[in-house]
Amino acid sequence: MDELIFKLNNVHFSYLHKYPALCGIDMEISKGEKIAILGANGSGKSTLLQLLDALIFPHKGRVEAFGRELNETDFNAASFCRDFRSKVGLVFQNPDIQLFCSTVKEDILFGPLQLGLDRLRIKQKMDAIVEDLGIADLLERSPHQLSVGEKRKVSIATILIIEPEVILLDEPTAGLDPQTARHIMDIIIEANASGKTIITATHDLHIVEEIADTAYILNRQKQIAKRGPVGELLLDEELLKSHNLTHIHKHRHKDEVHIHPHQHIDHHQH
Amino acid sequence: MRGAFKKNSFIERSLKGVFLVFKDSVLSEEQASYPGFLQSIDPRVKTATFLLLCIAVLIARNIYLLIFLYLFCLSLACVSRVSLRFFIKRTWVFIPLFSLLIAIPALFSFISPGEPLFSFKLFGLGLVITRPGLAGAVLFVARVATSVSLVILLGLTTRHATLLRVLRVFKVPQIFVMVLGMTYRYIYLFTEIVEHTYLAIKSRTGGLIHYKKGQSIVAWSIANLWQRSFKLNEDVYGAMLSRGYTGEPVLLEGFRSSLKDWVWFCSVAIIFVFIILSKIWMS
Ligand SMILES: Nc1ncnc2c1ncn2[C@@H]1O[C@H](COP(=O)(O)OP(=O)(O)OP(=O)(O)O)[C@@H](O)[C@H]1O
Ligand SMILES: [Mg+2]
């Protein structure tokens, strides 16, 4: 069996102890896996990712990462904190939260500088990543002035430069044009090919097949409705529909109107 | 309709006026990257010299010395490529805030007794402005104006992350620096949200808001904004933790001081000593 990275056991979390966001989650994620977390709005995807990134801690149940239970007090120890933060990176759903420095360059450098990486190495890595993502001309700009797509790319750059073993992505392609989305997916796939574990929260079924092998579907009760290989789950129309993941599709071929639930697995090869 | 439009531009001014002026005077980092004189000084030396100048302002009891220090500050702004008009406008927005509240009562005889300059009646109260009162108030305003200008000039020509780092170098406790950084970000996010909310209101009402309604929108949003920016600040803090933040500011380039920095330091030190000496001579 592969090396286990995350192990969640009956995890519960609620905001302000009042608004439940996760109710009894069990998960096991191994090194190098590609995981998708699917679910309707408000089903707890973002909360789950923050939990995996140890920004919040379960109120009930346990989260184990790299074979050790995560609890808040351990993060007071500088060495443990640094070790964990350099192994796990989270790309937030809202880039305005992710990007808090006054220039793009400072933002990209923030993580590696905080983690105490070698300065020369940092500069070299930044140049490479910036080149790869095509954001070299944005370096001196303020992140707040960028377009949504540009912000998203910069957000991803801020995490890639840390070279974490596990990359958590929250809706990485939301609001992007197809080509930019494609580019970001390629980067994710490439990162996985080089051995990184990728966990993506999304409700965009277009991208799931490519960026995940295994998918978890969260239901409105904030529990895992189903876990399985992506190929299988995407064929289960009823399941997808009951979790707001498909929509009715209406289009015209040769003057004939088709109405059918949107299925992405066949890529519309009519 | 014209009336409504005018009132609307009043809201625009009050919102934009207060927050955005603050945003681009104190929070903006654009000027910090200009190739000017102060920008080229080692931030540690720069901060130390500005501290000296501020102490000099507090010590100086002579209006001419204060005028000299103020002009010195303006010329520094000039050689640092900070537009003088921009700078003067920005600093004088804050000065009344700080000074008038304290300076005005000091004008009068019940606080500063002495030779009456002129007197008038307000709400049946006989008020007398005294010569020492007036002199004291002028001195006070000059002092506030100069120190506020110095602080803003330092802020304008230095990136805030760098300033925080300097504070750490000067052994200011980490928790203090961390809180300062948080406060800064909080204010930044707050102004950011104000700006967006303003746009959102404008787009929903088509830019024309009736005066009364406009007022209630302003009141509504201020209450709401505190909450929203607080939440956002919390989230941003999470994002910082996620990338390994521990409260210690780290910069890419270390600090390096050159001969130029020491020449600058010595010049300021000479001014400082001169002001101390002049104070001793005069007393
Ligand atoms: N700060 C908060 N305070 C209170 N409740 C919250 C907070 N953040 C999230 N929630 C609640 O927790 C639940 C899960 O939210 P979460 O953001 O994890 O959902 P999500 O699956 O990421 O949704 P989306 O697809 O819209 O991003 C929701 O019911 C939400 O209302
Ligand atoms: Mg979410």
Side-chain angles (χ1 to χ4, degrees), chain A residues 53 98 102 106-107 119, chain B residues 29 159 241-243 251-252:
Chain A
D53 197 32
Q98 175 106 30
S102 54
E106 277 177 54
D107 243 317
R119 278 162 215 237
Chain B
E29 302 226 305
R159 289 185 177 280
L241 287 183
S242 171
R243 281 195 264 155
L251 303 177
L252 184 63

Side-chain angles (χ1 to χ4, degrees), chain A residues 39-41 203 205 220 239-247:
Chain A
N41 289 130
H203 35 219
L205 294 185
R220 241 155 271 154
L239 179 77
L240 295 179
K241 212 151 75 185
S242 65
H243 293 98
N244 283 18
L245 291 167
T246 53
H247 52 248

